Amino acid sequence: MKAIRPSWPALVAGGLVLTLTACGGSAAAPGATSSAGDQKKLEVFSWWTSGSESAALKTMIDGYLKTSPGVEVVNGAVAGGGGGNAQAVLQTRLQGGDPPDVWQTHPGAAIQQYTTGNLLADASSVYTAEVKSAIPATMVEAISAGGKQYGVSAGAHRGNVLWYNKQLLEKAGVALPGADYATATFLADLAKLKSAGVVPLCLGAKDTFATAELFENTLLASLGSDGWNQLTGGGTGWDGEKVKAAAADTARMLQYADPDAGAMSWDQATKKLASGGCAFESMGDWAYGELVKGGAKEGDTFGYTPHPGTGGSFVAVVDTMVMAASAKNPAEAKKFLEAVASKDVQLAFNREKGSVPLRTDVDVTSLSPYQQQSAKSFAGDAIVQSVVHGEAMTPQFTQAMFDAVTQFAQSKNVDAFVQALANAAQS
Ligand code: BGC
């Protein structure tokens, strides 16, 4: 399991590049296509390249093209779950003065890295009275700087979900877990599955964020939401006893990980769960979109529960679009963000994505049972921001955490791991 940092040409080759217009379009490379002042092209940059992610992105693009039918949309998506590769490419492009018109990010520290660098255009005008009143004030705050809004959030993913293959659990005599599922029971169930000849834990460790997410969720179980906020707010240290306990539990879980984990991305691991190749996966609910896209049936093929010990907490991973301060096509970039803020696009996007609309005035009764209960949880549970997805801590910390997790997955050295995290939090 090692961090993937392909070179720039490899990233471009790995990226999905296609163009879409109202009447179809031809392939075009990002950057090469949007010449300055070109009003007919708009580049949309993201890491949405899996089956469900691409389908969700298409709903945004289709919604936008309804108001701008003549514009050629350049899809500059770069593959790599959690966006590690995409963000490296984006940084290079920002430094080189070649930003995409609009790009995907998250609230909190993730968007702040761009607002503090003056890299984003003010999107406040998208926040009409209707939009503003429909989005929870804390969520508006999380994309604001200096009283202005710089991003439009499409939906809220829940990061702390444990997915399972029903048949495999039944085969191993493991009771289907409920909302009060505890870490100790989970570890005992992983052992039972192993004894029954089942691969206990699905893991897409080719995407570094997947192992980090297992740790993040286990850390939340150890700390609780208040402890989480204290830790990420700097009130307690990353080398404290509860962080150590979470690291030790994560190491125990990793002993049950799929031996093929290092060769699989998060979406491949999720498909493996659906096809009965492995039993449990701790993963944000973009996995729901991917399971359903692959034909798996909620309550039949698979089930879900909060990651053990995290019932009542909702790790929010909020998909947000921003527009470049120096967008080549600022007028269309703004129209794209307006489409993202619309009720229709929020419903269509989240239907594919597995998340829930950020606008509270979107009728979610046509969404799946999973998403309807997730919407309730988002409205009523303790919301915490994700470290893995860049919301709660700086990008530098998150990168250091990924490096530390990669080493930890090999060494299982708890003290060295928490020390690396504590050092990163202080630098
Ligand atoms: C994003 C999701 C995406 C997931 C996996 C997260 O950071 O918020 O939209 O599906 O990464 O790529």
Side-chain angles (χ1 to χ4, degrees), residues 47-48 53 80-82 104 106 157 209 266 286 317 319 353 389:
W47 56 93
W48 288 323
E53 291 177 332
Q104 171 194 5
H106 293 124
H157 277 296
F209 91 95
W266 73 269
W286 39 92
V317 183
D319 286 324
K353 201 75 186 60
H389 298 274

Side-chain angles (χ1 to χ4, degrees), residues 288-374:
Y288 183 84
E290 205 62 22
L291 286 163
V292 171
K293 186 89 193 153
K297 298 267 181 302
E298 167 175 1
D300 177 11
T301 327
F302 71 94
Y304 51 82
T305 192
H307 180 86
T310 69
S313 295
F314 187 110
V315 178
V317 183
V318 177
D319 286 324
T320 300
M321 300 306 287
V322 295
M323 53 182 176
S326 56
K328 288 162 187 120
N329 199 340
E332 294 303 323
K334 191 182 150 217
K335 282 194 192 166
F336 190 87
L337 261 56
E338 282 168 354
V340 173
S342 74
K343 286 166 83 170
D344 286 355
V345 169
Q346 296 233 334
L347 185 62
F349 175 80
N350 288 287
R351 189 185 304 287
E352 299 290 345
K353 201 75 186 60
S355 40
V356 296
L358 212 67
R359 285 183 67 146
T360 53
D361 59 349
V362 174
D363 179 1
V364 295
T365 53
S366 69
L367 294 181
S368 65
Y370 170 74
Q371 286 162 300
Q372 293 192 40
Q373 66 79 38
S374 182

Side-chain angles (χ1 to χ4, degrees), residues 126-136 140 152 338 341-342 359 361:
V126 179
Y127 284 77
T128 58
E130 181 194 304
V131 172
K132 218 168 185 168
S133 67
I135 298 183
V140 176
V152 176
E338 282 168 354
S342 74
R359 285 183 67 146
D361 59 349

